[in-house]
Every structure is written in C-alpha cells, then in structure tokens.
C-alpha cells in the first residue's frame, strides 16, 4: 500500500476521543473530593487550590525552558487567559461545594447537564440562527429536570446535609464551566493546549488561595492516603484531563465537547452509588432523564 493510500486519522474523531477520556477522568473527581473532604477535613476551596496548584507544577515544569513561548502565549490573550483561569478556579470550587452539600450525583448531573444547554444557546447566538422547535423543547426539558432535581430531592441526609444550597452551587458551577469552555475554545488557535492548561490552572490556584485561607485554611495532617488522593486529583483529573480536553477543543465545537462530557456525570453517579453508597432517588432519576434528554435533543 502506498503512503498516499493509507488511511489518515480523523482529527475530529481524535478530538472527541480526547474529550471523552478527559470526561471519564473528571467523573472520578467528585467521589475523590467527597472522600478527601471527610478524611482530611479540607474545605472545598482548599481541595480546589491543591488540585490546581499541583496540576500547574506538573504542566509548567517540563516547559519552563520555553519561557519565551509561555510569555508569548500569555501576552497573545492576557485578559482572556486570566478570566479563563479565574473561571476555572471558581466553577471548580462551586462544584466541590455542591458535592459536599448535595452529594456527588446531584452536583454532577446539574453542573454538567446545564453546561451543554448553555453552550448550545451561545452557538445559536453566535451563528445568528433561530433555534429549531426541538431546541425549545430541549430547553423546557432541561429547566424541568433542573427544577425536579433541585426541589424534590431537598431532604437533608448524612451524604447531602444542605441539598438546596448544593444545588445552587452546582448551577453556578455549570454556568462557569460553560463560559470557560466558550472562552477557551476561542483562544486555542493562538495558544498551545499545554501552555493554556498550565497558565489557567496556575491562575485558578492563585484565585482560590485567599478563599481557602480565609475559610478553614489549607493545612492538613500529611498522610500517604491524603497525599495520594491530592496527587491523583492534581495529576490525573486536572493536568492530564484538561490537557486532553483543550487538545480536543481544537477540532471539536464547544457544544459538542460539552455533550461528550456527559460521560462525567455518568461515571460520577456510578462511582457515588458503588463507593459512597449514595441513594439514587426517584426525583434524581426523573430529573436526570429530563436533563440528559434535553442535551441529546
């Protein structure tokens, strides 16, 4: 077979695979955060700070010799990178807060289910095309699903001590995630994925540091299990996952990427049920079906 006749890799399919793998990694974040919160006593903001700080170190050390490239990448879109990094830290802290107050399954379904609906709406505004009737039905289903998850599953339990506050934090996380995804997609043609991920995680860690210090602080008893879980959150679910995600966004639209990341709530819900013994209520099931149906529509 000649070189010209050999099949070439499809960049779009490769991008979807990268986003799907990143979403699977992210799906393990909620259960890990919940276990870490209870075992080490760290606040959601402190966990978010350590996660982003570790990821920034892992990503930036290998390219420190390319300082000029990094600074050039930053100055090509400084305001956008700062906003994207701050958004990363903010929506991550809100998600961790939602996990602590409303449980992994509810927090993940709301935050990740809301994001694709918002990015799809943004795409409609950008293309200046009127949404099809199916889009109107999808928005209605999404709102109904969010209302059902937020209002019917509001009985406090050991795993969900403040479900309504957690649901509100999850909505804020979903809005922040959608906005950051759109911003990131717009600057990837000018900034390499590794540089973008390293810069955004470093900025996000700096944003979360004063919040964590103002709360319960960032100190904890150094134990192998705690250090290992923080390392896993920083290296696997952040450095590797966001590098894969940003690489995929080069060939995948923001709306399609947000749709593929529905693997995250699926993974998180399964792990929450198997590892954390979180109950799957009828309200959560019905709301999840409506929300995911809206995204598919």
């Amino acid at each position: 077979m000649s070189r010209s006749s050999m099949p070439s890799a499809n960049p779009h399919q490769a991008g979807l695979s990268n986003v799907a793998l990143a979403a699977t990694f992210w799906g393990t974040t909620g259960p890990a955060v919940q276990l870490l919160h209870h075992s080490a006593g760290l606040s959601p903001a402190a966990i978010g700070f350590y996660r982003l700080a570790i990821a920034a170190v892992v990503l930036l050390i290998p390219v420190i010799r390319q300082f000029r490239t990094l600074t050039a990448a930053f100055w090509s879109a400084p305001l956008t990178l700062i906003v994207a990094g701050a958004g990363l830290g903010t929506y991550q802290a809100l998600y961790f807060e939602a996990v602590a107050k409303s449980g992994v399954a509810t927090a993940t379904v709301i935050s990740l289910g809301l994001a694709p609906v918002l990015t799809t709406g943004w795409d409609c505004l950008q293309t200046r095309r009127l949404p099809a009737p199916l889009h109107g039905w999808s928005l209605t289903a999404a709102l109904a699903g969010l209302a059902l998850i937020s209002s019917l599953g509001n009985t406090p339990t050991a795993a969900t001590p403040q479900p309504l506050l957690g649901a509100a934090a999850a909505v804020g996380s979903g809005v922040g995630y959608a906005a950051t995804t759109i911003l990131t997609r717009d600057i990837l043609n000018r900034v390499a994925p590794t540089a973008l991920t390293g810069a955004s995680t470093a900025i996000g860690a700096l944003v979360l540091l004063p919040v964590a210090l103002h709360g319960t602080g960032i100190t904890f008893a150094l134990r192998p299990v705690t250090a290992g879980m923080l390392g896993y959150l920083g290296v696997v679910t952040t450095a590797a996952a966001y590098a894969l995600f940003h690489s995929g966004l080069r060939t995948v639209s923001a709306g399609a990427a947000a749709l593929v990341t529905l693997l995250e709530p699926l993974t998180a819900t399964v792990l929450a049920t198997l590892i954390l013994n979180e109950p799957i209520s009828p309200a959560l099931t019905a709301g999840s079906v409506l929300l995911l149906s809206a995204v598919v529509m």
Side-chain angles (χ1 to χ4, degrees), residues 254-269:
L259 175 61
V260 175
T261 54
L262 286 176
L263 285 172
E264 178 177 351
L266 175 62
T267 304
T269 301

Side-chain angles (χ1 to χ4, degrees), residues 66-252:
Q66 304 173 359
F67 183 74
R68 291 184 178 179
T69 302
L70 289 175
T71 53
F74 176 80
W75 287 113
S76 66
L79 182 59
T80 304
L81 277 173
I82 291 172
V83 173
L88 172 63
T90 301
Y91 83 69
Q92 182 174 249
L94 286 172
Y95 171 67
F96 291 170
E97 192 72 27
V99 166
K101 287 181 167 55
S102 62
V104 173
T106 300
T108 309
V109 168
I110 291 178
S111 61
L112 268 296
L114 181 60
V117 176
L118 295 176
T119 53
T120 300
W122 177 256
D123 288 342
C124 290
L125 290 175
Q126 287 290 91
T127 57
R128 296 182 180 179
R129 294 179 180 176
L130 291 175
L134 189 62
H135 182 65
W137 284 108
S138 70
L139 290 177
T140 303
L143 292 174
L146 287 171
L148 191 60
I149 295 171
S150 303
S151 63
L152 295 184
N154 59 2
T155 302
T157 64
T160 59
Q162 295 175 294
L164 290 180
L165 287 177
V171 170
S173 177
V175 173
Y177 170 64
T180 304
T181 299
I182 293 168
L183 279 174
T184 302
R185 182 70 177 86
D186 291 338
I187 63 174
L188 273 170
N189 292 329
R190 292 172 287 167
V191 181
T194 302
L196 172 62
T197 309
S200 59
T201 51
I203 294 169
L206 292 175
V207 169
L208 287 181
L209 180 57
V211 179
L213 290 174
H214 181 71
T216 58
I218 60 174
T219 59
F220 62 94
L222 185 59
R223 294 180 296 176
V225 174
T226 304
M229 291 178 69
L230 285 173
Y232 174 78
L233 286 172
V235 176
V236 177
T237 71
T238 310
Y242 277 102
L244 287 167
F245 182 66
H246 290 154
S247 176
L249 279 181
R250 284 191 154 187
T251 56
V252 177

Side-chain angles (χ1 to χ4, degrees), residues 268-285:
T269 301
V270 171
L271 291 177
T273 304
L274 296 177
I275 298 176
L276 302 177
N277 297 319
E278 287 190 8
I280 304 300
S281 65
L284 177 60
T285 302

